[in-house]
Amino acid sequence: MSDILAVQLGSLRLANPIITASGTFGYGVEYADFMDVSRLGGISVKGISLEPRVGNPPPRVCETPGGMLNSIGLANIGYDAFVDRTMPVLRQMGATVIVNIYGTSHDEFAQLARRFDTVEGVAALEVNISCPNVKEGGIHFGVSGKSASGVTRAVREVTSLPVIVKLSPEALDLPDIGKAVQDAGADAISMINTFRGMSIDVETRKPRLGAVMGGLSGPAIRPLAVRMVYQVYQAVNIPIIGMGGIACLRDVLEFFLAGASAVQVGTANFTDPTIAVKIVDELEEYCVARGIRPADLVGKVEVGEAK
Ligand SMILES: Cc1cc2nc3c(=O)[nH]c(=O)nc-3n(C[C@H](O)[C@H](O)[C@H](O)COP(=O)(O)O)c2cc1C
């Protein structure tokens, strides 16, 4: 592959701007047998906490029109198992690893960031201040500028890795949160996490998720995500990694035009786990045919006087 797709996100350089989204592509190692994950711009691994977590009671996913609800609750193998067992495999596979981290306090986020700082093969940290499916931390850190910048600063102070802060669409003033995390030292913003939703089985009259509510993702949220990327792009100077319902090249281009410098593919992985690599190929073809780079499209939506 030529380097026409290479993107620079602050201090993070990726071979291409297509990343698989946290929680929708496992730890990446599960895909080793049937695709070359080193061809992805990056893999944002399932959110890692200091200790293993079992997550929420089942059922934890259900289909909804144009998307899905999930209430996984950040079930994960924890820091030690991830670093000892998973990272060596990811290194061997040549994957570009973005570690998505989750803590219940500023101190837990800082501890995780400090420990990952010296782990070989970690390209960047993605700080999840936006999970809607946990009682402590999660979305609560992402809905106020003060707490979002507090977590960002706690992580920034203890790591030299690029810091990506993942925003929640449920913040009232997302551009304001974007500015707050930028001022607190974030290298990039990723957005958006899921929206809290609920679905009820009208026969049993029971919620379709064990945790009652869950996070909505998939094409149903794409116009909301595009709108939010567009708004945050106008408020910040750091790069944005956009996501929300991306399922094909056209969707990726839409996010670039709105202001994203790179994107993540999430729910679409559940219908086709090779979709992100296919999009890399299609994007390369698109850029070569036009003699452009992804960066040439960023923020280039034409809205006349409004922009
Ligand atoms: C089953 C599932 C698990 C997820 N787990 C995480 C997670 O651990 N950390 C995180 O930051 N986001 C998590 N997300 C959110 C996605 O990374 C992404 O932000 C969201 O799904 C929107 O993108 P999409 O519509 O392309 O899926 C999860 C999403 C799904 C569907």
Side-chain angles (χ1 to χ4, degrees):
M1 197 193 302
S2 65
D3 77 345
I4 193 167
L5 294 186
V7 287
Q8 193 73 41
L9 307 172
S11 53
L12 174 65
R13 189 172 174 82
L14 300 178
N16 69 70
I18 312 295
I19 302 161
T20 50
S22 181
T24 66
F25 203 68
Y27 300 106
V29 295
E30 298 86 341
Y31 299 87
D33 288 343
F34 57 101
M35 62 186 284
D36 179 3
V37 297
S38 72
R39 299 203 47 241
L40 294 165
I43 299 174
S44 176
V45 298
K46 176 65 192 168
I48 304 290
S49 46
L50 280 174
E51 300 298 330
R53 289 174 55 92
V54 292
N56 287 325
R60 305 204 283 195
V61 291
C62 71
E63 258 185 75
T64 56
M68 64 182 280
L69 285 170
N70 92 82
S71 59
I72 308 292
L74 290 170
N76 78 95
I77 57 177
Y79 175 87
D80 286 337
F82 177 74
V83 170
D84 295 344
R85 291 196 255 124
T86 311
M87 272 310 296
V89 185
L90 284 167
R91 281 194 291 266
Q92 204 180 5
M93 290 160 69
T96 301
V97 183
I98 298 173
V99 179
N100 182 283
I101 57 172
Y102 160 73
T104 59
S105 62
H106 290 199
D107 184 53
E108 268 186 39
F109 273 109
Q111 277 191 58
L112 274 165
R114 189 180 297 114
R115 291 200 203 175
F116 272 117
D117 196 44
T118 51
V119 175
E120 191 195 334
V122 175
L125 296 178
E126 182 177 54
V127 184
N128 180 4
I129 55 166
S130 45
C131 180
N133 297 320
V134 288
K135 288 202 182 73
E136 293 174 282
I139 202 168
H140 307 291
F141 286 130
V143 291
S144 104
K146 191 160 174 260
S147 53
S149 61
V151 176
T152 307
R153 203 165 286 118
V155 169
R156 175 75 291 160
E157 278 168 4
V158 296
T159 182
S160 52
L161 288 168
V163 173
I164 303 162
V165 180
K166 184 162 178 181
L167 304 188
S168 166
E170 299 211 15
L172 270 185
D173 188 341
L174 209 47
D176 200 48
I177 306 278
K179 276 188 273 186
V181 304
Q182 168 179 279
D183 294 347
D187 294 276
I189 285 167
S190 60
M191 59 186 287
I192 53 175
N193 210 315
T194 54
F195 289 81
R196 270 175 298 187
M198 181 171 171
S199 178
I200 300 168
D201 182 330
V202 295
E203 300 302 328
T204 63
R205 300 190 176 186
K206 293 206 160 66
R208 290 169 70 203
L209 292 175
V212 182
M213 288 177 274
L216 181 65
S217 62
I221 69 170
R222 192 188 314 127
L224 297 163
V226 170
R227 184 264 292 177
M228 289 174 175
V229 167
Y230 173 70
Q231 287 180 311
V232 172
Y233 176 69
Q234 292 170 78
V236 302
N237 302 314
I238 52 176
I240 297 171
I241 303 172
M243 79 198 88
I246 291 177
C248 65
L249 175 64
R250 182 173 291 272
D251 302 340
V252 171
L253 300 175
E254 194 180 359
F255 273 86
F256 288 162
L257 292 170
S261 297
V263 295
Q264 294 188 7
V265 178
T267 300
N269 290 305
F270 294 120
T271 29
D272 178 2
T274 63
I275 188 73
V277 169
K278 286 179 187 153
I279 293 175
V280 173
D281 289 337
E282 287 168 10
L283 180 62
E284 182 171 29
E285 214 175 287
Y286 180 92
C287 287
V288 169
R290 287 162 181 78
I292 57 170
R293 293 174 160 277
D296 297 329
L297 299 171
V298 177
K300 293 290 163 39
V301 59
E302 293 179 15
V303 290
E305 291 303 305
K307 170 89 170 104

